Amino acid sequence: MIRNVGTGNMREMRGSYGDGMSSPALALASRRVFLDGGFSAATVLVRDGLIAGIAPFDPDAALVLSDDEVLLPGLVDSHVHLNEPGRTDWEGFETGTAAAAAGGITTVVDMPLNSLPVTTTVEALAAKRAATAGKLAVDVAYWGGAVPENLGSLHPLFAAGVVGVKCFLSPSGIDEFGHLDAADLESALTELAAFDGLLIAHAEDPAHLHDDPAIGSSYARFLASRPPISEESAIAAVAAAAGRTGARAHIVHVSDGHALDVIREAKAAGIRLTAETCPHYLTLRAEDLPDGSGTVKCCPPVRDGHNQDLLWEGLLDGTIDAVVSDHSPATRDLKEREDGDLGLAWGGISGVQTGLRAVWTEASRRGIPLETVIPWFTTGPAAIAGIRSRGVIRKGAPAHLAAFAPDAASVVRAADLEYRNKLSPWDGALLRGSVRATWVNGETAYTANRGITGRHGREILATDPASDEGAR
């Protein structure tokens, strides 16, 4: 664990450092700091919530990480459903951002559903912003929504501060967030291209989805109801429309490894298309999942081991740009139905607190080094959301940091997670790695010994020029 920590507020420092700086507010030293894509011995100097400089390793710094720990940039998760206002019995800013901090995440981007109201108007965004007061353990940015009713009026959402807008190409599961058909998709991308706004798409083609009333508790039947062709068809439609309009588009939570060829071809053709996948697709396999458990249900679904191998290949060759949680919780009664019916159970995986550990466990099994994994959780999602000063340790960036012990291992206990609803598909799994501490804007937000220690998170509004990407 961190040593050399005094009993005060961890701010008084003596001595001087480079660049003419003396007495920084905080200095964290580690023999392994993730800088410029690799690990180096260094001391990170913090002042006024920002990284003030990088100095040589100082064994006498006020905070020195143990030899089994590495100092990482705070992770970025650009796909989190916090569900507030309106469905705080599902999650909420207080519990959701606490779980993020405990997972080493210092910036999340909140999805426009399943809150009530959904974030498809400027007024709804204002309601969501008001709901954050005093609750943020980490920084939060916002996605807006693109639905049939607000097409032609997307620019005001961007002017109000969203980093992009999300659409569904198949029914979202809630009546208040309708999906776009082919003509709507073309219209939305044409509108966004005019001011270079980003569209992120849940890409499943409803023409290939099967509403099977006989799914019951069988995971195999649920999986068959959402076949891979549904993703391939929808991703191809987004790529083609983005190519015609010149707009920027992003595919969320890719689960089908075969669909990656469509993304590769689009990127090679110069189409501005990016893609993400999630820890559950990289670490869980359909053949291992139990029947009747809504905790493992999500849309698109977790597929088989061969498909998982293709996703890992897509990460390693750069086709997939980021790994994000798609943290989408719900209450236990909606997830774990007494009748075990997977067709009726709410779909969504809770994973914001365990994502890095789950993926690092599988990556290390595959011989993939931590240096390769970290950008998937930092600069990758930050670039997608247009908040590029996040996920890096460099002078002038927000002082978002995490102490991580990559060789530690422990069993996940869902009951101990920070979620409002204590459900996890990794419950009982032995995962590698431990988040020992998280700093948000230069302040301690979480330690493994004490839990959440402060709520120093800020909003990020894309339009505010006063500071980093509008953080305030």
Side-chain angles (χ1 to χ4, degrees), residues 169 202-205 208-209 226-238 251-259 262 276 281 299-303 307 311:
L169 302 184
H202 178 124
E204 290 182 288
D205 185 342
H208 298 287
L209 300 179
R226 307 186 88 92
I229 186 61
S230 65
E231 283 190 80
E232 295 168 39
S233 174
I235 291 171
V238 173
I251 307 299
V252 299
H253 52 48
V254 176
S255 81
D256 173 33
H258 298 281
V262 178
E276 68 188 37
Y281 301 130
C299 300
V302 171
R303 304 190 189 278
N307 179 82
L311 293 176

PDB file of all heavy atoms in Angstrom, residues 169 202-205 208-209 226-238 251-259 262 276 281 299-303 307 311:
ATOM      1  N   LEU A 169     -30.863   1.702 -33.094  1.00  0.00           N
ATOM      2  CA  LEU A 169     -31.397   1.283 -34.390  1.00  0.00           C
ATOM      3  C   LEU A 169     -32.413   0.160 -34.238  1.00  0.00           C
ATOM      4  O   LEU A 169     -32.994  -0.284 -35.227  1.00  0.00           O
ATOM      5  CB  LEU A 169     -30.251   0.849 -35.316  1.00  0.00           C
ATOM      6  CG  LEU A 169     -29.189   1.921 -35.567  1.00  0.00           C
ATOM      7  CD1 LEU A 169     -28.161   1.423 -36.578  1.00  0.00           C
ATOM      8  CD2 LEU A 169     -29.814   3.221 -36.042  1.00  0.00           C
ATOM      9  N   HIS A 202     -26.345   2.278 -30.941  1.00  0.00           N
ATOM     10  CA  HIS A 202     -26.625   0.890 -30.557  1.00  0.00           C
ATOM     11  C   HIS A 202     -27.028   0.189 -31.837  1.00  0.00           C
ATOM     12  O   HIS A 202     -28.112   0.428 -32.383  1.00  0.00           O
ATOM     13  CB  HIS A 202     -27.746   0.846 -29.517  1.00  0.00           C
ATOM     14  CG  HIS A 202     -28.124  -0.545 -29.099  1.00  0.00           C
ATOM     15  ND1 HIS A 202     -28.109  -0.944 -27.785  1.00  0.00           N
ATOM     16  CD2 HIS A 202     -28.540  -1.633 -29.804  1.00  0.00           C
ATOM     17  CE1 HIS A 202     -28.505  -2.215 -27.697  1.00  0.00           C
ATOM     18  NE2 HIS A 202     -28.773  -2.646 -28.928  1.00  0.00           N
ATOM     19  N   ALA A 203     -26.160  -0.678 -32.318  1.00  0.00           N
ATOM     20  CA  ALA A 203     -26.298  -1.215 -33.678  1.00  0.00           C
ATOM     21  C   ALA A 203     -26.782  -2.660 -33.667  1.00  0.00           C
ATOM     22  O   ALA A 203     -25.999  -3.610 -33.647  1.00  0.00           O
ATOM     23  CB  ALA A 203     -24.972  -1.098 -34.429  1.00  0.00           C
ATOM     24  N   GLU A 204     -28.092  -2.831 -33.655  1.00  0.00           N
ATOM     25  CA  GLU A 204     -28.741  -4.113 -33.922  1.00  0.00           C
ATOM     26  C   GLU A 204     -29.879  -3.826 -34.898  1.00  0.00           C
ATOM     27  O   GLU A 204     -30.666  -2.902 -34.690  1.00  0.00           O
ATOM     28  CB  GLU A 204     -29.284  -4.754 -32.649  1.00  0.00           C
ATOM     29  CG  GLU A 204     -28.221  -5.274 -31.692  1.00  0.00           C
ATOM     30  CD  GLU A 204     -28.841  -5.946 -30.468  1.00  0.00           C
ATOM     31  OE1 GLU A 204     -29.394  -5.218 -29.617  1.00  0.00           O
ATOM     32  OE2 GLU A 204     -28.792  -7.186 -30.375  1.00  0.00           O
ATOM     33  N   ASP A 205     -29.951  -4.615 -35.947  1.00  0.00           N
ATOM     34  CA  ASP A 205     -30.977  -4.440 -36.976  1.00  0.00           C
ATOM     35  C   ASP A 205     -32.232  -5.193 -36.556  1.00  0.00           C
ATOM     36  O   ASP A 205     -32.202  -6.435 -36.431  1.00  0.00           O
ATOM     37  CB  ASP A 205     -30.445  -4.976 -38.314  1.00  0.00           C
ATOM     38  CG  ASP A 205     -31.399  -4.735 -39.472  1.00  0.00           C
ATOM     39  OD1 ASP A 205     -32.597  -4.474 -39.237  1.00  0.00           O
ATOM     40  OD2 ASP A 205     -30.943  -4.842 -40.622  1.00  0.00           O
ATOM     41  N   HIS A 208     -33.525  -8.540 -38.033  1.00  0.00           N
ATOM     42  CA  HIS A 208     -32.891  -9.836 -37.744  1.00  0.00           C
ATOM     43  C   HIS A 208     -33.054 -10.255 -36.286  1.00  0.00           C
ATOM     44  O   HIS A 208     -32.479 -11.272 -35.869  1.00  0.00           O
ATOM     45  CB  HIS A 208     -31.404  -9.776 -38.099  1.00  0.00           C
ATOM     46  CG  HIS A 208     -31.133  -9.523 -39.541  1.00  0.00           C
ATOM     47  ND1 HIS A 208     -31.332 -10.483 -40.520  1.00  0.00           N
ATOM     48  CD2 HIS A 208     -30.705  -8.415 -40.180  1.00  0.00           C
ATOM     49  CE1 HIS A 208     -31.010  -9.984 -41.696  1.00  0.00           C
ATOM     50  NE2 HIS A 208     -30.632  -8.724 -41.530  1.00  0.00           N
ATOM     51  N   LEU A 209     -33.824  -9.511 -35.521  1.00  0.00           N
ATOM     52  CA  LEU A 209     -34.082  -9.890 -34.142  1.00  0.00           C
ATOM     53  C   LEU A 209     -35.365 -10.703 -34.076  1.00  0.00           C
ATOM     54  O   LEU A 209     -36.317 -10.434 -34.806  1.00  0.00           O
ATOM     55  CB  LEU A 209     -34.200  -8.647 -33.255  1.00  0.00           C
ATOM     56  CG  LEU A 209     -32.972  -7.743 -33.214  1.00  0.00           C
ATOM     57  CD1 LEU A 209     -33.232  -6.531 -32.326  1.00  0.00           C
ATOM     58  CD2 LEU A 209     -31.739  -8.496 -32.733  1.00  0.00           C
ATOM     59  N   ARG A 226     -31.002 -13.047 -30.883  1.00  0.00           N
ATOM     60  CA  ARG A 226     -30.252 -11.845 -31.289  1.00  0.00           C
ATOM     61  C   ARG A 226     -28.986 -12.297 -32.006  1.00  0.00           C
ATOM     62  O   ARG A 226     -27.872 -12.215 -31.470  1.00  0.00           O
ATOM     63  CB  ARG A 226     -29.932 -10.956 -30.080  1.00  0.00           C
ATOM     64  CG  ARG A 226     -31.171 -10.606 -29.257  1.00  0.00           C
ATOM     65  CD  ARG A 226     -30.889  -9.612 -28.154  1.00  0.00           C
ATOM     66  NE  ARG A 226     -31.014  -8.236 -28.616  1.00  0.00           N
ATOM     67  CZ  ARG A 226     -32.135  -7.526 -28.541  1.00  0.00           C
ATOM     68  NH1 ARG A 226     -33.246  -8.077 -28.038  1.00  0.00           N
ATOM     69  NH2 ARG A 226     -32.175  -6.278 -28.975  1.00  0.00           N
ATOM     70  N   PRO A 227     -29.126 -12.789 -33.242  1.00  0.00           N
ATOM     71  CA  PRO A 227     -28.012 -13.405 -33.955  1.00  0.00           C
ATOM     72  C   PRO A 227     -26.974 -12.381 -34.398  1.00  0.00           C
ATOM     73  O   PRO A 227     -27.256 -11.174 -34.489  1.00  0.00           O
ATOM     74  CB  PRO A 227     -28.694 -14.050 -35.165  1.00  0.00           C
ATOM     75  CG  PRO A 227     -29.912 -13.209 -35.398  1.00  0.00           C
ATOM     76  CD  PRO A 227     -30.374 -12.806 -34.033  1.00  0.00           C
ATOM     77  N   PRO A 228     -25.763 -12.827 -34.698  1.00  0.00           N
ATOM     78  CA  PRO A 228     -24.698 -11.912 -35.121  1.00  0.00           C
ATOM     79  C   PRO A 228     -25.054 -11.055 -36.329  1.00  0.00           C
ATOM     80  O   PRO A 228     -24.618  -9.905 -36.417  1.00  0.00           O
ATOM     81  CB  PRO A 228     -23.537 -12.859 -35.433  1.00  0.00           C
ATOM     82  CG  PRO A 228     -23.781 -14.066 -34.590  1.00  0.00           C
ATOM     83  CD  PRO A 228     -25.274 -14.213 -34.548  1.00  0.00           C
ATOM     84  N   ILE A 229     -25.846 -11.586 -37.248  1.00  0.00           N
ATOM     85  CA  ILE A 229     -26.181 -10.816 -38.450  1.00  0.00           C
ATOM     86  C   ILE A 229     -26.897  -9.519 -38.098  1.00  0.00           C
ATOM     87  O   ILE A 229     -26.815  -8.528 -38.846  1.00  0.00           O
ATOM     88  CB  ILE A 229     -27.045 -11.664 -39.420  1.00  0.00           C
ATOM     89  CG1 ILE A 229     -27.273 -10.941 -40.740  1.00  0.00           C
ATOM     90  CG2 ILE A 229     -28.368 -12.035 -38.777  1.00  0.00           C
ATOM     91  CD1 ILE A 229     -26.013 -10.625 -41.505  1.00  0.00           C
ATOM     92  N   SER A 230     -27.568  -9.469 -36.952  1.00  0.00           N
ATOM     93  CA  SER A 230     -28.247  -8.232 -36.561  1.00  0.00           C
ATOM     94  C   SER A 230     -27.236  -7.119 -36.341  1.00  0.00           C
ATOM     95  O   SER A 230     -27.477  -5.961 -36.721  1.00  0.00           O
ATOM     96  CB  SER A 230     -29.088  -8.454 -35.301  1.00  0.00           C
ATOM     97  OG  SER A 230     -28.271  -8.759 -34.184  1.00  0.00           O
ATOM     98  N   GLU A 231     -26.097  -7.446 -35.736  1.00  0.00           N
ATOM     99  CA  GLU A 231     -25.058  -6.434 -35.546  1.00  0.00           C
ATOM    100  C   GLU A 231     -24.366  -6.096 -36.856  1.00  0.00           C
ATOM    101  O   GLU A 231     -24.137  -4.926 -37.173  1.00  0.00           O
ATOM    102  CB  GLU A 231     -24.021  -6.920 -34.531  1.00  0.00           C
ATOM    103  CG  GLU A 231     -24.468  -6.832 -33.088  1.00  0.00           C
ATOM    104  CD  GLU A 231     -23.324  -7.094 -32.134  1.00  0.00           C
ATOM    105  OE1 GLU A 231     -22.521  -6.170 -31.886  1.00  0.00           O
ATOM    106  OE2 GLU A 231     -23.228  -8.230 -31.630  1.00  0.00           O
ATOM    107  N   GLU A 232     -24.015  -7.106 -37.618  1.00  0.00           N
ATOM    108  CA  GLU A 232     -23.302  -6.862 -38.881  1.00  0.00           C
ATOM    109  C   GLU A 232     -24.118  -5.967 -39.805  1.00  0.00           C
ATOM    110  O   GLU A 232     -23.590  -5.018 -40.414  1.00  0.00           O
ATOM    111  CB  GLU A 232     -22.986  -8.188 -39.555  1.00  0.00           C
ATOM    112  CG  GLU A 232     -22.011  -9.066 -38.772  1.00  0.00           C
ATOM    113  CD  GLU A 232     -21.949 -10.482 -39.318  1.00  0.00           C
ATOM    114  OE1 GLU A 232     -21.988 -10.639 -40.556  1.00  0.00           O
ATOM    115  OE2 GLU A 232     -21.861 -11.420 -38.518  1.00  0.00           O
ATOM    116  N   SER A 233     -25.399  -6.230 -39.905  1.00  0.00           N
ATOM    117  CA  SER A 233     -26.263  -5.445 -40.782  1.00  0.00           C
ATOM    118  C   SER A 233     -26.370  -4.002 -40.303  1.00  0.00           C
ATOM    119  O   SER A 233     -26.267  -3.053 -41.104  1.00  0.00           O
ATOM    120  CB  SER A 233     -27.654  -6.090 -40.840  1.00  0.00           C
ATOM    121  OG  SER A 233     -28.552  -5.284 -41.580  1.00  0.00           O
ATOM    122  N   ALA A 234     -26.566  -3.807 -39.004  1.00  0.00           N
ATOM    123  CA  ALA A 234     -26.732  -2.457 -38.481  1.00  0.00           C
ATOM    124  C   ALA A 234     -25.427  -1.663 -38.551  1.00  0.00           C
ATOM    125  O   ALA A 234     -25.432  -0.468 -38.885  1.00  0.00           O
ATOM    126  CB  ALA A 234     -27.236  -2.519 -37.041  1.00  0.00           C
ATOM    127  N   ILE A 235     -24.311  -2.300 -38.244  1.00  0.00           N
ATOM    128  CA  ILE A 235     -23.022  -1.606 -38.324  1.00  0.00           C
ATOM    129  C   ILE A 235     -22.724  -1.199 -39.763  1.00  0.00           C
ATOM    130  O   ILE A 235     -22.244  -0.091 -40.028  1.00  0.00           O
ATOM    131  CB  ILE A 235     -21.898  -2.486 -37.747  1.00  0.00           C
ATOM    132  CG1 ILE A 235     -22.085  -2.624 -36.238  1.00  0.00           C
ATOM    133  CG2 ILE A 235     -20.521  -1.896 -38.055  1.00  0.00           C
ATOM    134  CD1 ILE A 235     -21.159  -3.636 -35.579  1.00  0.00           C
ATOM    135  N   ALA A 236     -23.044  -2.073 -40.712  1.00  0.00           N
ATOM    136  CA  ALA A 236     -22.849  -1.735 -42.123  1.00  0.00           C
ATOM    137  C   ALA A 236     -23.705  -0.537 -42.517  1.00  0.00           C
ATOM    138  O   ALA A 236     -23.271   0.338 -43.285  1.00  0.00           O
ATOM    139  CB  ALA A 236     -23.171  -2.936 -43.003  1.00  0.00           C
ATOM    140  N   ALA A 237     -24.916  -0.460 -41.983  1.00  0.00           N
ATOM    141  CA  ALA A 237     -25.795   0.668 -42.297  1.00  0.00           C
ATOM    142  C   ALA A 237     -25.231   1.973 -41.749  1.00  0.00           C
ATOM    143  O   ALA A 237     -25.270   3.023 -42.414  1.00  0.00           O
ATOM    144  CB  ALA A 237     -27.192   0.412 -41.733  1.00  0.00           C
ATOM    145  N   VAL A 238     -24.700   1.939 -40.522  1.00  0.00           N
ATOM    146  CA  VAL A 238     -24.109   3.146 -39.932  1.00  0.00           C
ATOM    147  C   VAL A 238     -22.881   3.567 -40.725  1.00  0.00           C
ATOM    148  O   VAL A 238     -22.702   4.757 -41.047  1.00  0.00           O
ATOM    149  CB  VAL A 238     -23.743   2.911 -38.451  1.00  0.00           C
ATOM    150  CG1 VAL A 238     -22.966   4.108 -37.900  1.00  0.00           C
ATOM    151  CG2 VAL A 238     -24.994   2.660 -37.626  1.00  0.00           C
ATOM    152  N   ILE A 251     -19.729   3.079 -32.879  1.00  0.00           N
ATOM    153  CA  ILE A 251     -20.544   1.893 -32.568  1.00  0.00           C
ATOM    154  C   ILE A 251     -20.300   1.501 -31.122  1.00  0.00           C
ATOM    155  O   ILE A 251     -19.161   1.231 -30.723  1.00  0.00           O
ATOM    156  CB  ILE A 251     -20.194   0.712 -33.489  1.00  0.00           C
ATOM    157  CG1 ILE A 251     -20.277   1.123 -34.962  1.00  0.00           C
ATOM    158  CG2 ILE A 251     -21.118  -0.470 -33.189  1.00  0.00           C
ATOM    159  CD1 ILE A 251     -21.637   1.576 -35.418  1.00  0.00           C
ATOM    160  N   VAL A 252     -21.356   1.466 -30.336  1.00  0.00           N
ATOM    161  CA  VAL A 252     -21.211   1.090 -28.935  1.00  0.00           C
ATOM    162  C   VAL A 252     -21.280  -0.433 -28.784  1.00  0.00           C
ATOM    163  O   VAL A 252     -21.793  -1.151 -29.638  1.00  0.00           O
ATOM    164  CB  VAL A 252     -22.293   1.774 -28.059  1.00  0.00           C
ATOM    165  CG1 VAL A 252     -22.167   3.289 -28.146  1.00  0.00           C
ATOM    166  CG2 VAL A 252     -23.700   1.342 -28.441  1.00  0.00           C
ATOM    167  N   HIS A 253     -20.696  -0.899 -27.705  1.00  0.00           N
ATOM    168  CA  HIS A 253     -20.730  -2.299 -27.221  1.00  0.00           C
ATOM    169  C   HIS A 253     -20.796  -3.356 -28.327  1.00  0.00           C
ATOM    170  O   HIS A 253     -21.755  -4.130 -28.430  1.00  0.00           O
ATOM    171  CB  HIS A 253     -21.855  -2.498 -26.207  1.00  0.00           C
ATOM    172  CG  HIS A 253     -23.230  -2.055 -26.606  1.00  0.00           C
ATOM    173  ND1 HIS A 253     -23.817  -2.362 -27.799  1.00  0.00           N
ATOM    174  CD2 HIS A 253     -24.150  -1.316 -25.930  1.00  0.00           C
ATOM    175  CE1 HIS A 253     -25.027  -1.856 -27.847  1.00  0.00           C
ATOM    176  NE2 HIS A 253     -25.246  -1.192 -26.724  1.00  0.00           N
ATOM    177  N   VAL A 254     -19.758  -3.426 -29.156  1.00  0.00           N
ATOM    178  CA  VAL A 254     -19.691  -4.466 -30.187  1.00  0.00           C
ATOM    179  C   VAL A 254     -19.504  -5.820 -29.497  1.00  0.00           C
ATOM    180  O   VAL A 254     -18.564  -6.029 -28.741  1.00  0.00           O
ATOM    181  CB  VAL A 254     -18.534  -4.208 -31.161  1.00  0.00           C
ATOM    182  CG1 VAL A 254     -18.421  -5.360 -32.163  1.00  0.00           C
ATOM    183  CG2 VAL A 254     -18.733  -2.882 -31.885  1.00  0.00           C
ATOM    184  N   SER A 255     -20.411  -6.748 -29.797  1.00  0.00           N
ATOM    185  CA  SER A 255     -20.284  -8.096 -29.228  1.00  0.00           C
ATOM    186  C   SER A 255     -19.951  -9.143 -30.285  1.00  0.00           C
ATOM    187  O   SER A 255     -19.478 -10.222 -29.949  1.00  0.00           O
ATOM    188  CB  SER A 255     -21.582  -8.499 -28.514  1.00  0.00           C
ATOM    189  OG  SER A 255     -22.568  -8.965 -29.416  1.00  0.00           O
ATOM    190  N   ASP A 256     -20.179  -8.831 -31.545  1.00  0.00           N
ATOM    191  CA  ASP A 256     -19.974  -9.798 -32.632  1.00  0.00           C
ATOM    192  C   ASP A 256     -18.612  -9.583 -33.281  1.00  0.00           C
ATOM    193  O   ASP A 256     -18.389  -8.575 -33.956  1.00  0.00           O
ATOM    194  CB  ASP A 256     -21.087  -9.648 -33.671  1.00  0.00           C
ATOM    195  CG  ASP A 256     -20.830 -10.510 -34.903  1.00  0.00           C
ATOM    196  OD1 ASP A 256     -20.240 -11.597 -34.753  1.00  0.00           O
ATOM    197  OD2 ASP A 256     -21.195 -10.084 -36.013  1.00  0.00           O
ATOM    198  N   GLY A 257     -17.709 -10.516 -33.097  1.00  0.00           N
ATOM    199  CA  GLY A 257     -16.381 -10.399 -33.667  1.00  0.00           C
ATOM    200  C   GLY A 257     -16.360 -10.391 -35.177  1.00  0.00           C
ATOM    201  O   GLY A 257     -15.470  -9.790 -35.799  1.00  0.00           O
ATOM    202  N   HIS A 258     -17.323 -11.043 -35.821  1.00  0.00           N
ATOM    203  CA  HIS A 258     -17.356 -11.067 -37.289  1.00  0.00           C
ATOM    204  C   HIS A 258     -17.701  -9.696 -37.864  1.00  0.00           C
ATOM    205  O   HIS A 258     -17.305  -9.382 -38.994  1.00  0.00           O
ATOM    206  CB  HIS A 258     -18.358 -12.114 -37.773  1.00  0.00           C
ATOM    207  CG  HIS A 258     -18.011 -13.510 -37.363  1.00  0.00           C
ATOM    208  ND1 HIS A 258     -17.053 -14.258 -38.011  1.00  0.00           N
ATOM    209  CD2 HIS A 258     -18.488 -14.284 -36.353  1.00  0.00           C
ATOM    210  CE1 HIS A 258     -16.951 -15.448 -37.432  1.00  0.00           C
ATOM    211  NE2 HIS A 258     -17.809 -15.486 -36.421  1.00  0.00           N
ATOM    212  N   ALA A 259     -18.409  -8.880 -37.091  1.00  0.00           N
ATOM    213  CA  ALA A 259     -18.766  -7.551 -37.570  1.00  0.00           C
ATOM    214  C   ALA A 259     -17.557  -6.623 -37.647  1.00  0.00           C
ATOM    215  O   ALA A 259     -17.627  -5.555 -38.270  1.00  0.00           O
ATOM    216  CB  ALA A 259     -19.820  -6.933 -36.657  1.00  0.00           C
ATOM    217  N   VAL A 262     -16.451  -5.305 -41.073  1.00  0.00           N
ATOM    218  CA  VAL A 262     -17.161  -4.135 -41.595  1.00  0.00           C
ATOM    219  C   VAL A 262     -16.495  -2.858 -41.101  1.00  0.00           C
ATOM    220  O   VAL A 262     -16.303  -1.896 -41.856  1.00  0.00           O
ATOM    221  CB  VAL A 262     -18.642  -4.171 -41.170  1.00  0.00           C
ATOM    222  CG1 VAL A 262     -19.370  -2.924 -41.663  1.00  0.00           C
ATOM    223  CG2 VAL A 262     -19.323  -5.435 -41.674  1.00  0.00           C
ATOM    224  N   GLU A 276     -16.299   0.389 -29.815  1.00  0.00           N
ATOM    225  CA  GLU A 276     -15.924  -0.029 -28.468  1.00  0.00           C
ATOM    226  C   GLU A 276     -16.431  -1.441 -28.221  1.00  0.00           C
ATOM    227  O   GLU A 276     -17.345  -1.922 -28.907  1.00  0.00           O
ATOM    228  CB  GLU A 276     -16.565   0.898 -27.423  1.00  0.00           C
ATOM    229  CG  GLU A 276     -18.088   0.735 -27.365  1.00  0.00           C
ATOM    230  CD  GLU A 276     -18.818   1.755 -26.503  1.00  0.00           C
ATOM    231  OE1 GLU A 276     -18.388   2.936 -26.503  1.00  0.00           O
ATOM    232  OE2 GLU A 276     -19.818   1.372 -25.866  1.00  0.00           O
ATOM    233  N   TYR A 281     -17.988  -8.924 -22.760  1.00  0.00           N
ATOM    234  CA  TYR A 281     -17.772  -9.640 -24.022  1.00  0.00           C
ATOM    235  C   TYR A 281     -16.363 -10.228 -24.099  1.00  0.00           C
ATOM    236  O   TYR A 281     -16.136 -11.211 -24.801  1.00  0.00           O
ATOM    237  CB  TYR A 281     -17.999  -8.707 -25.207  1.00  0.00           C
ATOM    238  CG  TYR A 281     -19.377  -8.106 -25.262  1.00  0.00           C
ATOM    239  CD1 TYR A 281     -19.551  -6.740 -25.434  1.00  0.00           C
ATOM    240  CD2 TYR A 281     -20.513  -8.896 -25.124  1.00  0.00           C
ATOM    241  CE1 TYR A 281     -20.815  -6.175 -25.475  1.00  0.00           C
ATOM    242  CE2 TYR A 281     -21.782  -8.335 -25.153  1.00  0.00           C
ATOM    243  CZ  TYR A 281     -21.926  -6.976 -25.334  1.00  0.00           C
ATOM    244  OH  TYR A 281     -23.181  -6.424 -25.362  1.00  0.00           O
ATOM    245  N   CYS A 299     -27.869  -6.777 -24.158  1.00  0.00           N
ATOM    246  CA  CYS A 299     -28.173  -6.692 -25.576  1.00  0.00           C
ATOM    247  C   CYS A 299     -27.236  -5.673 -26.224  1.00  0.00           C
ATOM    248  O   CYS A 299     -27.240  -4.512 -25.805  1.00  0.00           O
ATOM    249  CB  CYS A 299     -29.625  -6.271 -25.801  1.00  0.00           C
ATOM    250  SG  CYS A 299     -30.832  -7.419 -25.088  1.00  0.00           S
ATOM    251  N   PRO A 300     -26.454  -6.106 -27.236  1.00  0.00           N
ATOM    252  CA  PRO A 300     -26.348  -7.451 -27.774  1.00  0.00           C
ATOM    253  C   PRO A 300     -25.762  -8.421 -26.755  1.00  0.00           C
ATOM    254  O   PRO A 300     -25.126  -7.986 -25.793  1.00  0.00           O
ATOM    255  CB  PRO A 300     -25.436  -7.275 -28.989  1.00  0.00           C
ATOM    256  CG  PRO A 300     -24.646  -6.055 -28.707  1.00  0.00           C
ATOM    257  CD  PRO A 300     -25.548  -5.158 -27.939  1.00  0.00           C
ATOM    258  N   PRO A 301     -25.961  -9.712 -26.970  1.00  0.00           N
ATOM    259  CA  PRO A 301     -25.629 -10.685 -25.930  1.00  0.00           C
ATOM    260  C   PRO A 301     -24.161 -11.088 -25.918  1.00  0.00           C
ATOM    261  O   PRO A 301     -23.420 -10.886 -26.880  1.00  0.00           O
ATOM    262  CB  PRO A 301     -26.505 -11.879 -26.304  1.00  0.00           C
ATOM    263  CG  PRO A 301     -26.624 -11.791 -27.794  1.00  0.00           C
ATOM    264  CD  PRO A 301     -26.660 -10.325 -28.107  1.00  0.00           C
ATOM    265  N   VAL A 302     -23.750 -11.661 -24.795  1.00  0.00           N
ATOM    266  CA  VAL A 302     -22.456 -12.325 -24.697  1.00  0.00           C
ATOM    267  C   VAL A 302     -22.491 -13.558 -25.600  1.00  0.00           C
ATOM    268  O   VAL A 302     -23.414 -14.378 -25.515  1.00  0.00           O
ATOM    269  CB  VAL A 302     -22.159 -12.729 -23.244  1.00  0.00           C
ATOM    270  CG1 VAL A 302     -20.915 -13.607 -23.160  1.00  0.00           C
ATOM    271  CG2 VAL A 302     -22.013 -11.488 -22.370  1.00  0.00           C
ATOM    272  N   ARG A 303     -21.483 -13.674 -26.471  1.00  0.00           N
ATOM    273  CA  ARG A 303     -21.450 -14.773 -27.439  1.00  0.00           C
ATOM    274  C   ARG A 303     -20.380 -15.793 -27.035  1.00  0.00           C
ATOM    275  O   ARG A 303     -19.895 -15.782 -25.906  1.00  0.00           O
ATOM    276  CB  ARG A 303     -21.241 -14.214 -28.835  1.00  0.00           C
ATOM    277  CG  ARG A 303     -22.311 -13.167 -29.200  1.00  0.00           C
ATOM    278  CD  ARG A 303     -22.272 -12.774 -30.670  1.00  0.00           C
ATOM    279  NE  ARG A 303     -23.144 -11.624 -30.937  1.00  0.00           N
ATOM    280  CZ  ARG A 303     -24.456 -11.683 -31.134  1.00  0.00           C
ATOM    281  NH1 ARG A 303     -25.063 -12.862 -31.079  1.00  0.00           N
ATOM    282  NH2 ARG A 303     -25.155 -10.596 -31.364  1.00  0.00           N
ATOM    283  N   ASN A 307     -15.927 -16.323 -30.805  1.00  0.00           N
ATOM    284  CA  ASN A 307     -16.265 -14.920 -31.041  1.00  0.00           C
ATOM    285  C   ASN A 307     -15.427 -14.012 -30.133  1.00  0.00           C
ATOM    286  O   ASN A 307     -14.943 -12.960 -30.557  1.00  0.00           O
ATOM    287  CB  ASN A 307     -17.746 -14.706 -30.783  1.00  0.00           C
ATOM    288  CG  ASN A 307     -18.173 -13.263 -30.979  1.00  0.00           C
ATOM    289  OD1 ASN A 307     -18.403 -12.837 -32.093  1.00  0.00           O
ATOM    290  ND2 ASN A 307     -18.265 -12.511 -29.898  1.00  0.00           N
ATOM    291  N   LEU A 311     -12.807 -10.716 -30.891  1.00  0.00           N
ATOM    292  CA  LEU A 311     -12.836  -9.394 -30.263  1.00  0.00           C
ATOM    293  C   LEU A 311     -11.453  -9.016 -29.743  1.00  0.00           C
ATOM    294  O   LEU A 311     -11.011  -7.864 -29.889  1.00  0.00           O
ATOM    295  CB  LEU A 311     -13.861  -9.361 -29.137  1.00  0.00           C
ATOM    296  CG  LEU A 311     -15.332  -9.490 -29.545  1.00  0.00           C
ATOM    297  CD1 LEU A 311     -16.218  -9.548 -28.303  1.00  0.00           C
ATOM    298  CD2 LEU A 311     -15.767  -8.344 -30.451  1.00  0.00           C
TER     299      LEU A 311
END
